[in-house]
Structures are given as C-alpha cells and as structure tokens.
Amino acid sequence: MAHAPQDQIAPLLTPEGWDLLASLGPYRDEDSFELNSALRKAGHPAGLVSAVLTQSRLRTRAEAKFGEFARQMLFTQAGLEQATRLNVAAHHAQRFAAAGISRVADLGCGLGADAMALASLDINVTAVEMDETTAACATMNLIPFPNATVVHADAASVPLEGIDGVWLDPARRVTSTSGTKRIWDPEAFSPPLSFVESLAAGGKAVGVKMGPGMPHESVPAGCEAQWVSVAGDVTEVTLWFNAVRRPAVRRAALVLGSQGPAELTSADDFGAGPAAPVGPVEGYLYEPDGAVIRAGLVADVALQLGGHLVDEHIAYICAPDLSGHPVRPGLQGPGGHALQRQGTQGLGEAGGHHRAGYQEARHRGNPGGTAEAAAASRKELQKGFREDRHPGPDPYWGGPGGDRGGTSPAHPESSRYCARMNSSAARTCSAVGRTPV
C-alpha cells in the first residue's frame, strides 16, 4: 500500500481522538468550515481537528464500499481507493472456504477488507502490510476478529510455513503531494505479479486482485481469470491458482447487482472461444455488462441469445427476444418496442408517439463522430417530446420502479461478517477506551 501520512491517523489512536471522531455525525462539505471552527474553539488541538475531519470525510465516502461498518473503521485516502468492496470480499473469502483452506496469509492487506471477510468465515488470517500507518488502520479494523493478526512487514519477506492459502491485493498506486497515481505495469506493483506466480508455482492456493484493465496477454497460464462488476462498474479481475481455481474455468464474468450475483464462465482460453455472426441492427439491442466485455465473452452471450453482433469490434448484440438477465441487459425502445438503426431525424417524434419517459442515444461505432452525433440526438429528442408523456419505469436503466434508482440490499454473503462485527463490538474497544456506537 502507498505510504499514508501518520499525522492523520496517530491523533485518532487515543481516547480523546477516538471519542471526538465518534461524536461527529455524517460529514458534509458545506458544514466543514463551521465545524472546524467550533472544534477549535472547544479547545481541541489543530492537528487533532484536522485528523478527525479528514477521517470523518473518508468514513462517509467509505459507506459506498462498507455500508454502516465504515462508521467504526479507520481509512487512508490511498487505502480506501484500492479497498475491496465488502460484498466482493465476501466472494473472495467464500472461494477459500469452499476449497477447505483454513489458514490464509493476506499479503498486502491494506485496510484489511479481505482479511475481515476471510476471518468472518472462521479462517485464520495473517494480514501483512508494509506501510506502518495503513497497518495501524488494519489493526483497528480487525479488532473484532480474534482469528486475525496484523503483521507490519514486507509481504515478500514473511515466512509462509503452515499457511494453506495466500491472498494478495498488490499496491497499484503511489502517493505524492499532489495525491495518488495509478501504476499500470504489473511488475511495478508491490508485490509484483512475478512474485504471485512464484507462490502459485509452489502449489499453494493463491488468489490475487488485479486492475480490471489487465490485458489478456498478461494473464498467466494455468489460472482462472474472473472479472467482477458491481452495479455496472467493473472493479477488478481476480486470478485464481491451484486449489481455489475452478476446474474447467479459464475466464469468467461475475456481475453483482441488486438482483444478486450472476456469472458467465468459459473453459476456452483467450481468443479461442466461439465466434458469433455479424448482422444488421434488428430486434432487440443488447450491451453486455462490462465484466463480460473485459472477459472476452461477448460472442458467448450472442450465441446464448440466438443473436448476432452488430460489428465484430463493437460489443453490441441484436437478438429477436428481450431478456432481463443481468449479465446481458437488453436495451429497448419506448414501451418495450424493438430498436431500429436510424439517424437523428424523427427520434423526438418517436419518443412522443410511444409516451416515453426516458430515452438514451447510443453512438458507439458511429463514423460521424460521437460528439456531433450526441448533440444532434439530444436536440432531436427534445423536439416533439411532450410534457404530458407518461413517466413509466424503465426495466433496466432505472427510474420509477426500475432497478438502478435505489440502494442495493445487503448481499447475503456479507451477513456473517455483519453479525460478527455487531456481536464483537463491545469487546473491541479497550485499546483506545472507545465506546461501541
């Protein structure tokens, strides 16, 4: 993990600092100046006030990944950016549990998200972090789990005798005075991909989280590559080796949405899968989830749908029937009508005719240029769009009654972690004299 500033964490590791942090409500940018002044007038040191407000802001941001548990955790800016979402970490942990792995080393644990998920499944976890400040945060975050231990050390130097499995989330960012910067070369990660491969070569069950933009040619042989998306955002590709690799799965797309997990897998290597035909725009248009596209499984989806590609280089599929499966969401016209290829002329009239409450113009592959086409489409959509149109629900993109407009319910995979956090809260506070909230 990129080095984190100690002056933003150390003041919080005192009874005064922790109590002050716990006393704050949700962070609001518009209230920060007034709150800063009030805390200073109350006699709190400037350094403590700065640390508390920074942590409050990070906790509020972290709720998107950790839900309500973010309020009891510690974060750094770089650590939060790379931290695994709780529902995704639950899937990682289940992979080790299903393989019968009982002792896992989390090398480069960061803030401890994956270590928490592993420990919640009663797996003994040794969480290793090289950055001292980040290790301190992980120690606090893992207090509820007596079967998890944090070690401040270089991941490559920790002995692995007695360890059944290894999980790695290599640091892919560096921190400077201007913020954090992403690293793209796998050999520049900490630890590098070659270190991961050496662990797998020794026979251990190994899982490693990589950036979702990893080129197919960089994926090592002999592993399963699983791309993961959450609510339409592709978050990672996980490489699984040995006991945690599923038989006959070379690549996979795992889609986590409001309706629960859905997955598409293939035993074929990259570039060796089935080919889909190419045809005209007709019937219903599909844009597969980004994880499906990254995993190179677009042709597989087209064949499953009994459809064809619009272009061999563009991830659009046309099929005669509409399917609401989350891996292959269908895009449709107003009122459920099939989409047709057309220019900008008549778009507004068509929307008004079908009483559409929502229209979206897609321009991928348009030889006329996306910016110009988008502007023309917006203008035409507004023309003839009636004020009394029916604001009906869109079955995919959201709106009234749609899937994308609300908060996703808690995933069942994280329920066990949630229960452990709640039941352990009372006994986790002695280190800083904190009171459970």
Side-chain angles (χ1 to χ4, degrees):
M1 182 62 60
H3 293 290
Q6 294 185 7
D7 58 355
Q8 293 298 317
I9 297 298
L12 305 176
L13 302 180
T14 63
E16 178 190 3
W18 197 267
D19 289 344
L20 183 59
L21 177 61
S23 71
L24 301 183
Y27 181 87
R28 291 164 53 92
D29 282 327
E30 57 267 33
D31 299 335
S32 60
F33 181 80
E34 182 178 349
L35 181 57
N36 187 315
S37 299
L39 293 176
R40 292 294 305 279
K41 287 181 181 179
H44 297 293
L48 175 59
V49 171
S50 175
V52 164
L53 291 179
T54 297
Q55 192 60 216
S56 179
R57 175 175 54 83
L58 290 173
R59 281 182 166 185
T60 299
R61 285 185 54 198
E63 289 181 5
K65 290 187 173 183
F66 295 94
E68 62 182 285
F69 303 107
R71 303 171 195 167
Q72 302 179 36
M73 297 173 64
L74 286 183
F75 301 94
T76 65
Q77 176 72 30
L80 179 56
E81 289 176 355
Q82 186 167 323
T84 305
R85 290 168 170 83
L86 183 58
N87 59 333
V88 179
H91 281 275
H92 297 161
Q94 284 188 327
R95 184 72 74 105
F96 284 95
I101 306 299
S102 60
R103 293 164 296 181
V104 173
D106 183 353
L107 303 183
C109 69
L111 298 172
D114 283 290
M116 289 189 291
L118 288 162
S120 72
L121 296 183
D122 296 324
I123 296 174
N124 295 312
V125 184
T126 301
V128 181
E129 174 55 48
M130 182 168 60
D131 178 63
E132 182 178 9
T133 303
T134 306
C137 292
T139 300
M140 294 299 297
N141 296 338
L142 286 165
I143 284 178
F145 304 99
N147 53 326
T149 303
V150 177
V151 177
H152 173 219
D154 184 349
S157 66
V158 176
L160 298 178
E161 289 81 5
I163 296 294
D164 304 319
V166 179
W167 170 257
L168 304 98
D169 185 359
R172 299 181 295 278
R173 294 178 181 272
V174 293
T175 301
S176 65
T177 55
S178 59
T180 62
K181 181 180 179 181
R182 188 182 298 274
I183 303 172
W184 299 103
D185 180 7
E187 284 306 301
F189 296 167
S190 179
L193 181 57
S194 57
F195 174 75
V196 177
E197 293 183 84
S198 67
L199 292 176
K204 292 187 182 297
V206 175
V208 58
K209 171 184 170 183
M210 308 293 283
M214 184 177 194
H216 291 171
E217 58 269 20
S218 298
V219 176
C223 75
E224 172 193 337
Q226 182 187 50
W227 275 264
V228 181
S229 74
V230 180
D233 179 24
V234 187
T235 60
E236 65 180 66
V237 56
T238 309
L239 308 182
W240 300 103
F241 298 83
N242 301 324
V244 285
R245 178 191 179 184
R246 292 174 293 184
V249 177
R250 172 56 169 157
R251 48 202 169 105
L254 175 63
V255 178
L256 303 178
S258 60
Q259 299 179 356
E263 188 173 32
L264 183 66
T265 65
S266 173
D268 296 317
D269 207 345
F270 299 99
V278 177
V281 174
E282 58 186 5
Y284 291 92
L285 180 68
Y286 290 82
E287 182 179 29
D289 185 90
V292 174
I293 298 172
R294 293 280 192 178
L297 296 171
V298 175
D300 300 67
V301 171
L303 295 176
Q304 286 186 6
L305 292 169
H308 58 264
L309 302 177
V310 173
D311 183 280
E312 61 181 340
H313 302 296
I314 300 176
Y316 279 153
I317 299 168
C318 281
D321 301 310
L322 180 64
S323 168
H325 196 284
V327 171
R328 47 175 193 263
L331 310 178
Q332 64 188 68
H337 294 271
L339 294 179
Q340 305 253 343
R341 182 192 294 272
Q342 64 182 68
T344 61
Q345 295 298 318
L347 286 177
E349 181 180 352
H353 175 72
H354 293 297
R355 302 177 66 82
Y358 180 88
Q359 293 191 46
E360 179 165 332
R362 297 298 179 102
H363 302 281
R364 188 181 298 163
N366 190 328
T370 58
E372 294 81 358
S377 294
R378 281 194 297 269
K379 182 177 180 180
E380 182 63 27
L381 285 170
Q382 292 168 359
K383 187 170 61 177
F385 215 52
R386 302 185 307 180
E387 290 297 327
D388 63 343
R389 64 188 182 274
H390 174 64
D394 184 292
Y396 175 67
W397 292 108
D403 294 335
R404 297 258 174 131
T407 302
S408 297
H411 286 272
E413 295 87 350
S414 63
S415 61
R416 200 167 175 190
Y417 164 71
C418 299
R420 183 72 68 85
M421 283 288 287
N422 289 331
S423 65
S424 303
R427 70 171 186 271
T428 63
C429 310
S430 59
V432 294
R434 61 190 264 203
T435 301
V437 293

